[in-house]
Amino acid sequence: MLLNQLLNTLATWGWLIVVLGFLIYFLVTARTQGYGRALRRVFSFGTPLAVLLAFVLLLTLLKTLVFVEPTEVGVVVSIVSAGGIRERPLRSGLHLIVPFLEEVKRYPISTQTFTMSISDGNDAVTARTSDGQEVTIDCSTIFSIDPEQVIRLHIDFQDRYIEDFVRPVLRGIVRTQASQYKADEINSSKRLDLERDMDTEVRDTFIQRGLQVDRFILRNITFSPEYAASIEAKQVALQDTIKRQHEADQLRIQAQGESDAASTRVQGEADAIRQRATAEADGLRAIAAVLATNPNLLNYQYISKLGPDIRVMLVPSNAPYLLPLPSLDGSRPITATATLTTTTPLTSTAPLAPTRTLPTTVLSTVAGAPASTPEPGR
């Protein structure tokens, strides 16, 4: 491209210089020698003709040399080739062609993106789903020309391959694939399946015409206002159901937590009672074992429980006397001077219980004093 631009620029300026030089020479000669003589001198003058010949050669060279850019591929349309076209395309670099008998048609091999969108002149695809819902689909296709198939593309479409092939084929594929799905499927996770099916179909169709698809992108799907409103209402109801279910789950979890806490508390109390009972049973077994070997321990425990100020005791008549006892004030032992046993009838006049006689033994222990017998009735 740079070489072609340079040669075109040189040829253009060369032609302008040649024409301007001949015009100036003709006007100067005509002023002094007349127009007829000036015209004859112009055509008989060798230098202008040599210059003209040089620029004709430059133009011929311009038509012979062709430079193809790295992002392009050239198709040679030739009068001298069979079928009117060369069998092999021209890749990037400098090439020679037959001047005035061959021409190079250039095609880009870099990546191209074709987009159909509602924002681009209402070019989005309107289709109907299998359940009759109308949807509007925006999509993009990233593709490139296969250099090995560019001659076929040139024969079929020339430089009209976008409008005559890419656009109508994409619209047809999108409509066909969308009709295989329901509206709620397109609006769900099956949208990926729809995009994958479209991508496969586009690849298979494009490669047959010399186009390589890099990726098909399903950009946006728009539903009719009525269907969109129904979807929104459905989503609102679903969210409300989810919210209520969440609240019920929270209440259930809270109730379960309280129940578990109560069960744990009851179990803890039961375990504590069981442990105390076990400890008491163990203690009783230990006491029983000790008493079996030392019966006097019971008397010692009996005495240790007596209050320090007790001077008169009522004991069963058959209870043994533990003598000598320690003094109550700690000065000297107390000895029993007398033991009297009387049986006093206790009569109850109340009509609620029969008359009962309780035998009691009164032990009076007074240091240094004889025992006395209490009067009946006291």
Side-chain angles (χ1 to χ4, degrees):
M1 185 65 69
L2 295 177
L3 179 61
N4 294 336
Q5 291 178 354
L6 177 61
L7 293 177
N8 286 328
T9 302
L10 292 177
T12 302
W13 283 101
W15 279 110
L16 290 176
I17 293 173
V18 169
V19 172
L20 184 59
F22 273 96
L23 182 59
I24 293 174
Y25 180 78
F26 175 77
L27 292 177
V28 172
T29 304
R31 180 177 297 179
T32 57
Q33 300 180 10
Y35 288 100
R37 189 177 179 86
L39 188 59
R40 288 193 301 269
R41 288 178 65 90
V42 167
F43 283 100
S44 63
F45 189 69
T47 302
L49 293 178
V51 174
L52 180 60
L53 180 60
F55 279 100
V56 170
L57 293 176
L58 180 62
L59 180 60
T60 302
L61 181 63
L62 174 64
K63 294 296 183 179
T64 302
L65 296 176
V66 175
F67 181 75
V68 180
E69 294 284 343
T71 58
E72 296 176 335
V73 65
V75 176
V76 181
V77 180
S78 175
I79 297 177
V80 297
S81 299
I85 195 170
R86 286 192 186 183
E87 296 181 356
R88 300 295 302 172
L90 301 181
R91 305 302 294 266
S92 61
L94 187 62
H95 303 273
L96 295 175
I97 63 174
V98 179
F100 306 107
L101 298 179
E102 291 182 338
E103 182 183 6
V104 177
K105 297 292 185 179
R106 304 171 186 272
Y107 289 90
I109 59 175
S110 57
T111 301
Q112 304 179 61
T113 301
F114 179 75
T115 299
M116 292 186 297
S117 173
I118 194 171
S119 61
D120 299 336
N122 198 24
D123 197 37
V125 182
T126 301
R128 286 195 177 274
T129 60
S130 60
D131 54 352
Q133 293 294 331
E134 185 178 281
V135 294
T136 302
I137 300 176
D138 295 353
C139 60
S140 295
T141 304
I142 303 174
F143 69 97
S144 61
I145 296 175
D146 185 1
E148 299 299 327
Q149 299 292 329
V150 67
I151 294 178
R152 180 177 182 178
L153 181 68
H154 173 77
I155 294 174
D156 292 341
F157 302 104
Q158 293 82 49
D159 56 355
R160 309 184 314 274
Y161 61 91
I162 294 291
E163 290 298 326
D164 291 356
F165 176 74
V166 174
R167 187 173 184 272
V169 167
L170 283 178
R171 296 179 71 86
I173 291 176
V174 169
R175 288 194 178 100
T176 301
Q177 294 298 327
S179 65
Q180 306 300 316
Y181 293 84
K182 295 181 180 180
D184 57 347
E185 294 177 340
I186 295 178
N187 197 39
S188 65
S189 59
K190 286 193 174 183
R191 172 173 173 167
L192 296 177
D193 297 336
L194 174 62
E195 185 176 13
R196 183 176 58 252
D197 294 342
M198 290 181 178
D199 182 86
T200 302
E201 186 69 20
V202 170
R203 288 178 186 274
D204 295 341
T205 305
F206 275 37
I207 197 64
Q208 299 174 6
R209 295 295 185 176
L211 298 177
Q212 298 174 329
V213 176
D214 181 67
R215 187 179 179 186
F216 176 85
I217 303 174
L218 189 59
R219 300 176 56 191
N220 186 36
I221 299 177
T222 305
F223 296 90
S224 62
E226 296 79 7
Y227 186 77
S230 66
I231 292 178
E232 183 177 359
K234 181 179 179 181
Q235 290 297 324
V236 171
L238 179 60
Q239 291 297 325
D240 184 66
T241 301
I242 294 175
K243 180 181 178 181
R244 294 179 181 275
Q245 183 65 34
H246 178 71
E247 293 176 351
D249 292 340
Q250 292 297 321
L251 292 176
R252 189 180 301 108
I253 292 173
Q254 182 179 359
Q256 184 64 36
E258 294 176 354
S259 176
D260 293 342
S263 299
T264 302
R265 185 172 58 254
V266 171
Q267 184 65 33
E269 293 175 355
D271 292 340
I273 293 173
R274 190 179 301 109
Q275 291 176 0
R276 287 196 299 270
T278 302
E280 292 176 358
D282 293 340
L284 291 176
R285 282 194 293 270
I287 292 173
V290 172
L291 291 176
T293 59
N294 190 6
N296 294 327
L297 179 63
L298 183 62
N299 295 331
Y300 173 76
Q301 293 291 335
Y302 180 73
I303 295 171
S304 64
K305 298 298 183 180
L306 295 177
D309 297 331
I310 293 179
R311 296 183 180 275
V312 178
M313 293 184 297
L314 296 178
V315 297
S317 59
N318 59 348
Y321 300 127
L322 303 177
L323 299 172
L325 295 175
S327 62
L328 298 180
D329 56 0
S331 59
R332 56 192 178 88
I334 301 175
T335 58
T337 58
T339 300
L340 298 179
T341 302
T342 59
T343 301
T344 303
L346 299 179
T347 303
S348 173
T349 59
L352 297 179
T355 303
R356 298 177 60 187
T357 302
L358 299 178
T360 60
T361 300
V362 179
L363 174 62
S364 175
T365 58
V366 180
S372 61
T373 300
E375 297 178 2
R378 287 191 177 184

